[in-house]
Amino acid sequence: MTMNIIKKYWHLLIAAGIFIVEAVVFLVLRENIYVGILDNLDLFITQLKMLRDNDAFFAHGQMMPILRSIDRNYFPSEFSLYNILFFLLPDLYAYIVGYLLKLLMAFFSCILLAKLILQDKYANYSKIVTLVSIAFALLHRYRLSYIFLYDCTESQDGGFMYCCFFIRSFLILRSSGHLFWGMF
């Protein structure tokens, strides 16, 4: 029975395993992690920490100790998801939860895109879609992916490049009739 479940859902087990490894690494290392700000999704982490340290999440009109004192209103709204996480949780845990939420959103949005593109054929390709989706979710963290993005170099932060890479690879594999594609 267990082997049947593994054979049927191996692609989901791989995806879940990768998410679990990502979470465990953060939770084991805790304060010893390096928080790299690699894309615009992490741009405001230092500002959120400053808002937290100065109790200024909901303090409009308060002057913040940055750039010779600027008004709190120049910072992001307190009702965005990341701000709510930093308001409710300690800094490190807010970062970890936010990071894992970004991974899950990227994973599921890629699956939804594949369902939109494939429509009735999605069931035939669900395993490869799951694997491509987990790769897509992790791309923003692993900069080695730039090697494969040689003709989409317009964006400095890589957002456009990742979308190009995913869509281009997906459509090329789909139309090529490649042996690997036929396995799924």
Side-chain angles (χ1 to χ4, degrees), residues 15-162:
I18 290 173
F19 283 125
I20 290 169
V21 167
E22 289 279 334
V24 166
V25 165
F26 279 123
L27 294 174
V28 168
L29 295 178
R30 295 179 195 234
E31 285 83 19
N32 296 324
I33 64 170
Y34 171 74
V35 178
I37 299 177
L38 301 173
D39 58 15
N40 286 335
L41 296 174
D42 294 331
L43 183 66
F44 297 107
I45 289 177
T46 54
Q47 293 176 4
L48 294 172
K49 175 145 176 54
M50 183 183 58
L51 289 172
R52 182 177 188 79
D53 291 346
N54 292 296
D55 295 322
F57 275 103
F58 295 98
H60 291 278
Q62 180 176 341
M63 300 305 283
M64 301 304 300
I66 187 173
L67 299 174
R68 295 186 185 176
S69 294
I70 61 173
D71 192 87
R72 188 265 176 259
N73 294 333
Y74 288 104
F75 294 97
S77 166
E78 55 273 349
F79 295 110
S80 72
L81 179 61
Y82 237 43
N83 289 16
I84 292 170
L85 290 175
F86 271 83
F87 179 72
L88 296 175
L89 301 171
D91 299 328
L92 179 66
Y93 295 107
Y95 173 78
I96 292 170
V97 169
Y99 173 75
L100 294 174
L101 283 174
K102 283 190 293 186
L103 286 180
L104 288 172
M105 284 188 281
F107 177 72
F108 287 114
S109 66
C110 190
I111 288 175
L112 290 175
L113 175 65
K115 284 183 178 182
L116 179 70
I117 292 171
L118 295 172
Q119 296 176 355
D120 296 336
K121 297 178 184 178
Y122 175 78
N124 297 336
Y125 302 115
S126 64
K127 293 176 182 165
I128 191 70
V129 166
T130 302
L131 297 176
V132 169
S133 297
I134 191 70
F136 178 74
L138 296 172
L139 271 179
H140 80 285
R141 281 289 175 221
Y142 300 102
R143 295 313 219 184
L144 186 60
S145 61
Y146 280 125
I147 293 171
F148 303 108
L149 305 171
Y150 56 89
D151 61 348
C152 298
T153 57
E154 295 300 317
S155 176
Q156 184 178 3
D157 66 297
F160 176 71
M161 294 174 10
Y162 296 148

